Amino acid sequence: MQSSRLLPRAAFTVLAAGGGTYAYYRYSKRNDGHLKEGTFSITISQRNVEGKVVKAVMDLPYLPDATLEKRVKLFSRTLYSDASPYHGRGGSLIKFHAAQLNSNDPVEDMEPEATTYLYEGSSRRPIIVAAVADGHSGPFTSAWLKGRLSNLTMLSLLNSGGFGVKDPLKEVETSPITLPPKFKLDSNRMSTLIKTAWEVVDDIITWRIPRELNGQDIRNEKVLETLGARFGDQILPAYSGACALAAIVDTEEQEMWVACTGDCRAVAGFWDEKPDGSGVWRVDVLSEDQTAESPKEVARLIKEHPKDDSADVVKVGRVLGNLQPSRAFGDLRYKWGADLQNFLLPKLLPPNMRPRPPPAKLLTPPYVTASPEVQHRKFTLPSSATSDGTRSTLRFLILATDGLWDELTSTNAVALVGGHLQGQRNSIANQNLTKSIPTIEENMTKTSAPLPHAAKRVRHSDWSFKEESLGMHLIRNALGGIDNTLIQQHLSIPAPYSRRYRDDISVLVLTFEGDEGLEQPKTRAKL
């Protein structure tokens, strides 16, 4: 059968981005719902016999299992249900919808998670912590953060409120956390407390080994013989790295804090309803992408290091010319001194893992921090809204790794989820999304557009609303919308080549619903 080309040679160009290249391509639009057979072609970079990097064409088969239904992991559950209203307020229903699609093998993102922290013997609504993490240089840091980041953050907040926990790390691994009835989040100190908590988490990940070796003669043969057994399970989370994002939502007080370390992103969808029943979706971006391409981050990095080091702190949009995110957990290569790395890593890393040398110009570490930027918002839940005047209610939160935001703007993501919640199930023309689903932007940052380092493509396909899962819905539209053939091509490209066209994508959506009698948002626009 004649092959169908994903990357026609005449349409192929590349963009240099640090140590790699990202492909730009065009494709012919094919929207039938049947799986393709035969082959398609991609262009790759490889070394020839002379050691020079050259372009080559690789033919790939359309894989019969290259469908979202077979590749995407789905997660969903009810986080909280208050079916019996009390104290004059309506009932609430809070749901967790998430999805993950790998590009790396194994996937480097953490599975999306949301934890409900209930009050013991109290009618207070719970605190919910939702989190995503985007790993790099391996899956080890993000895997370590799974479950621990949310719980350690909450335990740190409990400690700061006078509810002491003797061994937080042990508590995380042995028992669920129930909140004391008198515990309340300290609104005035939350940003500082969250930053401190995350710095402590990174200290556990990255500095535990050097701290425990402090004062020991690490050149003693007996000490050296025990290093692998003592620290073998701790070195990999410190050696790899992960960006992380968490939303701490106090559903009783109706306020939230979003902490971001790196380039994951959080976006809120508010429904602004007018007295006549019409309304719009309002986009609120709750984080800023922290990369070495951000002028704000570059200025911070330069300020934190001596003047004679400033020229080398950021090069080609990367920290020390290598790492794109400017904040991350782990990444000891940018935090430990060169001598410590050169001495310990060969003795601690697994035999099959050769240590990478410290970055050049590693003069005044650390160059990367896990300290997050924290944003605060107050909100009104649908069950607490009044019928007088304009009502603005929080209907959903989207937290996702940069694999989603490489392909979707914040505004499009809110329109996609908002339309889905309104019952939209027909496709929408590419250029008509925010016209059919009225959406306005507020508190937008420069990161609302696709990230500058992304392999951007000119979007041709229309928007799909066929999926029932909100997470799957966002991933489908990130990869091709109604264009099933393009999606099949994306999913047929094996690792590591797939990384040139798409990243791991992890996305979670929290939805906030009121009483069953509460009408779904309606707009005057025809959907």
Side-chain angles (χ1 to χ4, degrees):
M1 182 176 291
Q2 185 177 3
S3 67
S4 170
R5 294 187 179 272
L6 172 64
L7 300 178
R9 299 188 198 187
F12 183 83
T13 59
V14 296
L15 168 70
T21 58
Y22 286 91
Y24 285 67
Y25 60 87
R26 297 192 300 271
Y27 58 91
S28 356
K29 191 172 178 183
R30 294 175 293 273
N31 287 329
D32 60 83
H34 303 288
L35 290 175
K36 294 289 183 181
E37 298 179 348
T39 63
F40 62 98
S41 299
I42 64 172
T43 302
I44 63 172
S45 295
Q46 63 182 24
R47 294 188 182 276
N48 61 16
V49 293
E50 299 175 352
K52 296 181 179 180
V53 178
V54 296
K55 298 284 191 331
V57 174
M58 173 184 286
D59 290 328
L60 295 171
Y62 284 100
L63 298 179
D65 67 340
T67 65
L68 292 175
E69 291 76 13
K70 294 182 179 181
R71 298 291 184 87
V72 174
K73 294 176 67 176
L74 296 177
F75 315 84
S76 64
R77 68 180 186 276
T78 296
L79 297 177
Y80 178 71
S81 178
D82 174 18
S84 301
Y86 54 88
H87 297 319
R89 63 189 185 188
S92 289
L93 181 63
I94 303 173
K95 294 182 178 179
F96 167 77
H97 320 257
Q100 184 176 76
L101 174 67
N102 74 298
S103 178
N104 296 294
D105 187 15
V107 62
E108 295 186 341
D109 285 3
M110 178 185 83
E111 287 185 358
E113 65 179 19
T115 306
T116 304
Y117 297 95
L118 296 169
Y119 284 85
E120 184 177 4
S122 173
S123 60
R124 286 180 64 87
R125 286 174 174 166
I127 295 172
I128 292 173
V129 180
V132 296
D134 179 4
H136 49 263
S137 301
F140 309 105
T141 314
S142 61
W144 191 97
L145 290 171
K146 174 68 176 174
R148 292 186 175 99
L149 180 61
S150 298
N151 281 349
L152 284 171
T153 301
M154 185 55 64
L155 288 170
S156 180
L157 295 173
L158 282 166
N159 275 333
S160 68
F163 300 91
V165 180
K166 292 182 179 180
D167 190 346
L169 195 57
K170 184 177 180 180
E171 289 285 335
V172 165
E173 297 173 348
T174 60
S175 61
I177 299 171
T178 302
L179 303 180
K182 295 182 179 181
F183 173 71
K184 291 185 179 181
L185 298 178
D186 187 342
S187 297
N188 296 326
R189 300 172 58 215
M190 275 292 288
S191 292
T192 299
L193 294 174
I194 294 169
K195 288 181 181 182
T196 300
W198 284 30
E199 289 166 1
V200 170
V201 171
D202 191 54
D203 181 78
I204 294 171
I205 295 172
T206 311
W207 293 102
R208 191 175 182 180
I209 295 174
R211 187 172 55 252
E212 292 189 18
L213 290 174
N214 187 35
Q216 298 185 36
D217 182 5
I218 61 174
R219 298 184 185 277
N220 182 286
E221 289 187 6
K222 291 185 178 180
V223 175
L224 290 175
E225 289 174 358
T226 65
L227 289 181
R230 290 171 63 190
F231 303 114
D233 61 341
Q234 297 177 30
I235 189 61
L236 292 178
Y239 188 65
S240 64
C243 302
L245 175 75
I248 301 166
V249 185
D250 187 337
T251 62
E252 175 69 24
E253 302 297 333
Q254 301 192 42
E255 55 185 331
M256 61 180 161
W257 293 263
V258 174
C260 179
T261 289
D263 57 2
C264 302
R265 192 186 308 167
V267 181
F270 287 86
W271 175 246
D272 290 353
E273 182 178 336
K274 299 177 182 178
D276 63 0
S278 65
V280 297
W281 290 103
R282 176 165 53 86
V283 183
D284 191 357
V285 179
L286 303 172
S287 62
E288 291 188 49
D289 304 341
Q290 299 154 1
T291 73
E293 294 173 308
S294 160
K296 184 176 177 180
E297 286 293 285
V298 171
R300 178 185 64 81
L301 285 164
I302 291 175
K303 184 178 179 181
E304 290 177 353
H305 294 273
K307 290 184 178 180
D308 56 0
D309 192 16
S310 61
D312 298 307
V313 172
V314 176
K315 285 188 173 181
V316 294
R318 292 173 181 260
V319 177
L320 297 180
N322 289 280
L323 185 66
Q324 192 162 49
S326 52
R327 306 193 192 204
F329 291 90
D331 278 322
L332 67 76
R333 294 181 63 245
Y334 302 88
K335 297 175 183 178
W336 289 12
D339 290 343
L340 186 63
Q341 292 186 45
N342 289 330
F343 182 77
L344 283 181
L345 290 180
K347 300 170 178 61
L348 292 175
L349 289 174
N352 62 345
M353 184 176 291
R354 183 178 178 182
R356 297 176 62 190
K361 305 294 184 180
L362 185 77
L363 304 177
T364 55
Y367 289 85
V368 173
T369 178
S371 182
E373 289 295 314
V374 181
Q375 295 199 30
H376 171 246
R377 296 288 190 277
K378 292 186 176 182
F379 59 85
T380 301
L381 290 172
S383 56
S384 300
T386 64
S387 58
D388 300 332
T390 300
R391 300 196 308 171
S392 180
T393 54
L394 174 67
R395 292 307 180 97
F396 58 86
L397 290 175
I398 304 171
L399 278 69
T401 56
D402 66 339
L404 183 80
W405 307 116
D406 286 346
E407 311 298 340
L408 295 178
T409 67
S410 301
T411 300
N412 285 343
V414 168
L416 287 166
V417 173
H420 191 284
L421 293 177
Q422 289 175 299
Q424 173 69 33
R425 291 298 181 268
N426 297 321
S427 62
I428 294 178
N430 178 35
Q431 68 277 12
N432 290 338
L433 180 63
T434 55
K435 297 176 183 177
S436 298
I437 305 169
T439 311
I440 60 173
E441 303 174 356
E442 180 177 281
N443 294 323
M444 298 298 289
T445 70
K446 69 178 185 62
T447 60
S448 62
L451 301 178
H453 62 80
K456 295 187 284 290
R457 289 168 289 280
V458 177
R459 186 181 182 89
H460 296 279
S461 57
D462 294 340
W463 305 97
S464 170
F465 284 81
K466 65 175 286 187
E467 303 291 348
E468 289 303 316
S469 161
L470 285 171
M472 179 85 89
H473 174 55
L474 287 170
I475 290 178
R476 172 174 291 280
N477 282 288
L479 294 186
I482 67 169
D483 192 337
N484 294 309
T485 298
L486 177 59
I487 293 173
Q488 187 184 3
Q489 288 171 338
H490 273 301
L491 300 182
S492 293
I493 302 173
Y497 305 108
S498 59
R499 187 61 185 82
R500 300 298 186 192
Y501 305 100
R502 59 182 178 86
D503 198 354
D504 295 336
I505 301 177
S506 300
V507 56
L508 72 82
V509 183
L510 298 185
T511 56
F512 303 89
E513 303 174 27
D515 297 324
E516 292 182 355
L518 182 67
E519 293 185 3
Q520 289 293 317
K522 297 178 181 179
T523 67
R524 293 178 180 274
K526 293 182 178 179
L527 301 183

